[in-house]
Amino acid sequence: MTSPTQQQLYRFLEDRFTCAQACAECARTSAVRASLLDPDGTEQQERVRRLGIMCAEVCDATCRTLSEQNPQDEDGIRVQLEWCRSVCLECAHAFGRHPGAESAAAVCRACAVACTDFMVALD
C-alpha cells in the first residue's frame, strides 16, 4: 500500500471542502425555497415543500459530516454522500417543475455533482 502524495491529499481535501460548501449552499437554498411554499397549498406544492425540507436536512447533515475533524468510516461517508446526491437530484427535479424555482433546482444539481465528484475522490 502506498501513501498518498501531498498533492493527492490536498486535492482530496479540496474536493471534500467543495462538497461541504455545495451541501451548505443547497441546504440554505432548499430551506428558503421550502419556506416560500404554502403548507396549505396543493398536494404538489406540499410535496415540493417537503422535498425542500428533506433536502435541507440531508445536505446540512452531510456538510456537518464532511466538516468534522475526527477520522470517519469511509463507507459511512460514502453512504451519506450517496443519500445526499439522491435527495438533491429528486429535489432538483421537483424544483425544476415549479415556476420560479429554477435557480434552486440548479443549486441542488450542483450539490449532487459535488457529492458524486467527492465519491470519486474516495476511490
Side-chain angles (χ1 to χ4, degrees):
M1 179 174 183
T2 61
S3 296
T5 66
Q6 193 168 9
Q7 184 177 6
Q8 288 170 322
L9 181 58
Y10 284 145
R11 179 67 189 173
F12 176 83
L13 293 173
E14 285 174 356
D15 288 347
R16 185 175 180 139
F17 180 73
T18 298
C19 186
Q21 277 188 310
C23 289
E25 177 63 17
C26 190
R28 186 192 67 73
T29 300
S30 296
V32 168
R33 175 51 52 190
S35 73
L36 295 175
L37 296 170
D38 183 4
D40 296 324
T42 66
E43 186 177 320
Q44 177 63 22
Q45 286 177 325
E46 177 60 14
R47 179 182 177 279
V48 172
R49 190 177 78 78
R50 286 179 188 256
L51 271 172
I53 292 167
M54 183 170 67
C55 191
E57 290 173 352
V58 171
C59 286
D60 182 58
T62 304
C63 180
R64 281 186 279 120
T65 297
L66 295 175
S67 299
E68 291 176 357
Q69 295 298 319
N70 59 342
Q72 298 156 8
D73 172 37
E74 187 176 303
D75 289 336
I77 292 173
R78 191 178 298 280
V79 167
Q80 182 72 37
L81 290 167
E82 179 55 39
W83 183 34
C84 188
R85 185 192 72 79
S86 175
V87 169
C88 284
L89 289 175
E90 187 176 357
C91 196
H93 183 71
F95 283 167
R97 298 177 74 190
H98 191 77
E102 295 83 5
S103 64
V107 170
C108 290
R109 280 191 295 277
C111 186
V113 168
C115 288
T116 301
D117 290 348
F118 187 58
M119 281 189 284
V120 170
L122 289 173
D123 291 332

